[in-house]
């Protein structure tokens, strides 16, 4: 008995992953869809970290009377929130294949 070839395509919201699977006799392959963080949850996490960092920097600057000098530094934690947008964010899942010989 020869090898069988299958093509599997998984898509979500315009993102496609295509895998070609070659099965030999007595071989079992398991395909797993691994979800990753979605764009809204990643953005929420970044906003939370940015608010926390701005609070710490602002508190340290206020306590040491350096607020006018460190005021521009308060905007530095907001840069990742502005840079990561929906178009540049990656896929929301990945496919992994594990092979088992029977």
């Amino acid at each position: 008995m020869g090898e069988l070839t299958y093509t599997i395509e998984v898509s979500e919201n315009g993102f496609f992953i295509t895998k070609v699977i070659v099965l030999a006799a007595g071989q079992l392959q398991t395909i797993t869809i691994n979800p990753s963080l979605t764009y809204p949850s990643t953005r929420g996490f970044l906003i939370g970290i940015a608010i926390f960092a701005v609070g710490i920097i602002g508190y340290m600057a206020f306590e040491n009377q350096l607020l006018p000098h460190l005021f521009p530094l308060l905007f530095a934690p907001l840069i990742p929130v502005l840079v990561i947008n929906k178009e540049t964010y990656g896929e929301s899942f990945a496919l992994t294949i594990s092979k088992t010989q029977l």
Side-chain angles (χ1 to χ4, degrees), residues 29-44:
Q29 293 188 13
T30 304
I31 301 169
T32 307
I33 300 174
N34 300 316
S36 61
L37 287 176
T38 61
Y39 173 73
S41 61
T42 303
R43 187 162 178 91

Side-chain angles (χ1 to χ4, degrees), residues 14-89:
F15 175 74
F16 296 93
I17 292 182
T18 303
K19 294 283 185 180
V20 176
I21 298 173
V22 179
L23 285 177
Q27 186 180 42
L28 176 69
Q29 293 188 13
T30 304
I31 301 169
T32 307
I33 300 174
N34 300 316
S36 61
L37 287 176
T38 61
Y39 173 73
S41 61
T42 303
R43 187 162 178 91
F45 179 74
L46 286 175
I47 289 172
I49 294 292
I51 290 171
F52 180 74
V54 166
I56 294 294
I57 293 169
Y59 175 75
M60 289 181 351
F62 181 75
E63 285 295 315
N64 295 318
Q65 287 87 28
L66 296 173
L67 193 57
H69 303 291
L70 294 180
F71 187 72
L73 187 62
L74 290 173
F75 295 105
L78 300 174
I79 293 172
V81 175
L82 299 174
V83 171
I84 295 179
N85 56 19
K86 185 97 172 141
E87 290 80 28
T88 60
Y89 191 73

